[in-house]
Amino acid sequence: MIKKIKKPMIVFHLSVECFPVAKVGGLADVVGALPKYQKKLGVDAKVVMPWYNKPFVQEHEYEVVFDGFIHQIHHTFQVLVLKEKHDVLGYELYLVKIPGLLDRDQVYGYFDESQQFIAFQHAVLHWLSSMKIRPDVLHCHDYHTGLVPFMVEHCPDFEFLKGVKTIGTIHNGEYQGTMDWQMSNYMPRFDAWKWGFLDWNGRINPLATMIKCCNEFTAVSQGYMTELFEEAQGLQDLIKQEHQKAHGIINGIDTEVWDPQTDKMLFENYNIKTANKGKKANKEFLCNEFHLNPDLPLYAFIGRFAGEKGADMLPDIVRRSITETQGALNILILGSGNPQIENTLKQLREEFYVNFAMDLGYKEDLSHKIYAGADFLLMPSRVEPCGLNQMYAMRYGTIPIVRYTGGLKDTVADVSSGGYGLNYTFPGSDDAVHAIKRALYLYGSKKEMNNLRKIIMNLDFSWEKSAKNYITLYKKK
């Protein structure tokens, strides 16, 4: 009797970001790492994303696996699906190129964004249907792919895919992609009787559609899922209604990319045993670059200058922390976004140049150096669905100072209760500055700092457990 070979589960991750192809935020890090760890667990995980005019895309080889057309109103668009030839990311990567729509430099910021995202989702399902590729799971990340669960079930053109399990992940419920109903004309034809799945408060809401139509949906931490039941930018009642499909699965980090022992971006590599020496070398390098005193504790902020990140509080935090401690600390900020915040911080840099430095933009290599060289990481977030920065920081022996919200609740316990970070409850500069002062006392005890550093570097924030949890969800009947 011939033993039947069990085929691996086939999962397509659909996303508009994926590190290192194109990154704007944490979504890219998740989509870049999760499939790799699922592959290690025996799942045939793949990533499908738009084509961008980015260095990664230009530096690798591709083969065209599909050449077809989709229609939007009176326009016909060519659809090219290109597969990266050598699976350099550890899984199959597919890029969807649509001349005139998905062939641009940036991920976001275009006036026809809604049309772009509709076209991406339409093109992916057209390719899979035309080529008779039927995966076990379509994993849709954020609202940009939120219409896929609806299209699979209610668009006649995709009859071949009807019944394929769809999983939706909410990386950030603040962004929902709402659009006027006239944009329905850009969608593939669908069963008009099902329009209610698309509608939320008189507009098409892709995130609401994903929640209504997918088989299961997740938030990127249990803490954030709990918060979404109470406040989700108007979707909390829907989430409560669909509670039986809701799951909180904390993100992990790619411990191969984020490893101070092998990270090529660092000035000096180190491990738990050599952390004190290694962090000192990286701190001295950073302080030399930004003209700061390496003998003072170094606090860092890395992220977008957005309200949800608490970035509007940064100017007050910088001014008060330096003034109220009489210059007993240094602050280094890496980020970009709100022009007003940028300009205010530039002015503060002129005033407090001895203790405060900053760099504008998204710079992956510098962020690695900061995680390695800083003593503390500031995360004054108003909203933090999961947060990866605090995990990167702890992996590199940097103690996080966080507001107790979302995924930060799940990953950072306060030192006062036997934990390994510094927490505060209320969003505002008062509590943030108080936490910074607490950290200053902690810094004064070398023994306690060294012990804490060893503890946080030994914590396991890898994707192993979370990848298994997703696979369990995929298999749920």
Side-chain angles (χ1 to χ4, degrees), residues 27 141-144 169-178 200 205-208 210-211 217-221 224-225 227-229 231-236 238-239 304 308-309 383-386 406:
L27 169 61
H141 294 270
D142 262 347
Y143 79 86
H144 323 102
T169 293
I170 304 172
H171 294 263
N172 192 336
E174 299 288 300
Y175 304 100
Q176 301 177 7
T178 60
W200 193 257
N205 185 317
L207 190 63
M210 182 177 80
I211 294 168
F217 69 93
T218 70
V220 290
S221 71
Y224 187 50
M225 179 58 81
E227 290 177 3
L228 288 175
F229 278 99
E231 169 53 43
Q233 294 295 314
L235 296 186
Q236 55 271 11
L238 174 62
I239 292 173
R304 291 179 292 112
E308 67 192 67
K309 298 296 182 184
V383 178
E384 196 63 68
C386 174

Side-chain angles (χ1 to χ4, degrees), residues 186-410:
Y186 289 86
M187 293 177 59
R189 61 194 179 96
F190 59 88
D191 183 352
W193 289 98
K194 306 296 183 181
W195 68 272
F197 286 116
L198 298 170
D199 184 79
W200 193 257
N201 291 333
R203 290 170 62 81
I204 295 175
N205 185 317
L207 190 63
T209 299
M210 182 177 80
I211 294 168
K212 293 176 187 178
C213 297
C214 67
N215 295 96
E216 311 287 340
F217 69 93
T218 70
V220 290
S221 71
Q222 186 56 56
Y224 187 50
M225 179 58 81
T226 301
E227 290 177 3
L228 288 175
F229 278 99
E230 302 303 321
E231 169 53 43
Q233 294 295 314
L235 296 186
Q236 55 271 11
D237 289 341
L238 174 62
I239 292 173
K240 289 176 184 175
Q241 180 182 319
E242 301 287 348
H243 66 91
Q244 73 283 357
K245 300 193 298 185
H247 310 268
I249 300 179
I250 190 75
N251 285 338
I253 63 173
D254 190 333
T255 52
E256 294 175 7
V257 173
W258 296 92
D259 185 350
Q261 194 165 216
T262 58
D263 192 337
K264 295 180 181 178
M265 301 182 197
L266 304 191
F267 177 73
E268 183 176 308
N269 293 110
Y270 58 93
N271 54 31
I272 293 178
K273 292 182 179 179
T274 62
N276 293 337
K277 176 178 174 292
K279 285 192 69 66
K280 182 181 179 183
N282 282 283
K283 180 180 179 179
E284 288 175 348
F285 170 81
L286 267 182
C287 290
N288 183 58
E289 288 287 303
F290 288 96
H291 309 292
L292 298 172
N293 181 357
D295 294 329
L296 298 179
L298 179 60
Y299 297 72
F301 172 92
I302 301 172
R304 291 179 292 112
F305 294 159
E308 67 192 67
K309 298 296 182 184
D312 55 304
M313 294 180 271
L314 286 175
D316 197 37
I317 290 172
V318 169
R319 178 183 294 279
R320 289 184 55 188
S321 296
I322 296 173
T323 302
E324 294 177 20
T325 64
Q326 298 180 325
L329 53 81
N330 291 327
I331 298 177
L332 174 59
I333 290 176
L334 171 63
S336 64
N338 186 299
Q340 185 175 350
I341 296 174
E342 287 188 10
N343 290 332
T344 305
L345 288 173
K346 286 178 182 177
Q347 292 170 10
L348 284 174
R349 182 175 57 185
E350 298 299 316
E351 185 178 352
F352 296 104
Y353 64 92
V354 173
N355 298 96
F356 173 51
M358 60 182 289
D359 201 323
L360 295 176
Y362 163 68
K363 299 179 180 179
E364 187 73 19
D365 59 335
L366 180 55
S367 71
H368 283 242
K369 290 180 174 66
I370 293 174
Y371 286 121
D375 298 297
F376 302 98
L377 181 78
L378 301 173
M379 294 185 71
S381 307
R382 287 191 177 86
V383 178
E384 196 63 68
C386 174
L388 295 174
N389 288 15
Q390 80 277 14
M391 299 185 207
Y392 298 148
M394 288 187 278
R395 175 84 165 148
Y396 284 63
T398 296
I399 298 166
I401 302 174
V402 305
R403 182 182 164 244
Y404 200 58
T405 185
L408 300 177
K409 291 180 181 178
D410 298 348

Side-chain angles (χ1 to χ4, degrees), residues 8-302:
M9 177 185 289
I10 298 174
V11 177
F12 278 78
H13 290 271
L14 312 182
S15 173
V16 298
E17 294 184 43
C18 175
F19 178 81
V21 187
K23 175 178 174 177
V24 176
L27 169 61
D29 291 321
V30 173
V31 177
L34 177 56
K36 182 166 70 173
Y37 284 82
Q38 289 179 334
K39 288 278 283 188
K40 294 178 180 179
L41 295 170
V43 171
D44 187 4
K46 313 166 193 287
V47 169
V48 187
M49 65 183 297
W51 186 98
Y52 300 106
N53 185 28
K54 296 279 190 183
F56 180 95
V57 177
Q58 297 165 353
E59 293 164 3
H60 291 82
E61 292 185 278
Y62 302 86
E63 59 180 329
V64 176
V65 296
F66 180 73
D67 188 344
F69 296 90
I70 61 170
H71 301 282
Q72 286 191 333
I73 308 184
H74 304 301
H75 301 285
T76 299
F77 290 98
Q78 182 185 22
V79 172
L80 293 170
V81 180
L82 302 96
K83 179 185 179 297
E84 193 275 313
K85 280 187 175 182
H86 306 294
D87 297 347
V88 295
L89 299 182
Y91 48 82
E92 293 180 7
L93 171 69
Y94 296 89
L95 304 180
V96 178
K97 186 173 186 179
I98 301 178
L101 281 179
L102 303 180
D103 59 351
R104 301 175 183 176
D105 293 346
Q106 305 303 325
V107 179
Y108 308 115
Y110 298 100
F111 75 95
D112 56 354
E113 228 174 45
S114 295
Q115 183 184 356
Q116 285 183 289
F117 297 150
I118 290 173
F120 171 59
Q121 296 168 90
H122 186 171
V124 170
L125 298 183
H126 176 58
W127 160 49
L128 296 178
S129 298
S130 299
M131 300 298 289
K132 302 301 180 187
I133 301 170
R134 186 180 168 88
D136 296 291
V137 177
L138 290 170
H139 191 149
C140 307
H141 294 270
D142 262 347
Y143 79 86
H144 323 102
T145 56
L147 298 176
V148 165
F150 173 85
M151 292 181 180
V152 164
E153 294 300 320
H154 304 299
C155 290
D157 291 350
F158 311 132
E159 183 69 25
F160 175 76
L161 296 171
K162 193 176 179 69
V164 168
K165 179 174 282 189
T166 53
I167 304 294
T169 293
I170 304 172
H171 294 263
N172 192 336
E174 299 288 300
Y175 304 100
Q176 301 177 7
T178 60
M179 60 187 100
D180 292 335
W181 261 98
Q182 65 184 19
M183 292 303 298
S184 65
N185 295 318
Y186 289 86
M187 293 177 59
R189 61 194 179 96
F190 59 88
D191 183 352
W193 289 98
K194 306 296 183 181
W195 68 272
F197 286 116
L198 298 170
D199 184 79
W200 193 257
N201 291 333
R203 290 170 62 81
I204 295 175
N205 185 317
L207 190 63
T209 299
M210 182 177 80
I211 294 168
K212 293 176 187 178
C213 297
C214 67
N215 295 96
E216 311 287 340
F217 69 93
T218 70
V220 290
S221 71
Q222 186 56 56
Y224 187 50
M225 179 58 81
T226 301
E227 290 177 3
L228 288 175
F229 278 99
E230 302 303 321
E231 169 53 43
Q233 294 295 314
L235 296 186
Q236 55 271 11
D237 289 341
L238 174 62
I239 292 173
K240 289 176 184 175
Q241 180 182 319
E242 301 287 348
H243 66 91
Q244 73 283 357
K245 300 193 298 185
H247 310 268
I249 300 179
I250 190 75
N251 285 338
I253 63 173
D254 190 333
T255 52
E256 294 175 7
V257 173
W258 296 92
D259 185 350
Q261 194 165 216
T262 58
D263 192 337
K264 295 180 181 178
M265 301 182 197
L266 304 191
F267 177 73
E268 183 176 308
N269 293 110
Y270 58 93
N271 54 31
I272 293 178
K273 292 182 179 179
T274 62
N276 293 337
K277 176 178 174 292
K279 285 192 69 66
K280 182 181 179 183
N282 282 283
K283 180 180 179 179
E284 288 175 348
F285 170 81
L286 267 182
C287 290
N288 183 58
E289 288 287 303
F290 288 96
H291 309 292
L292 298 172
N293 181 357
D295 294 329
L296 298 179
L298 179 60
Y299 297 72
F301 172 92
I302 301 172

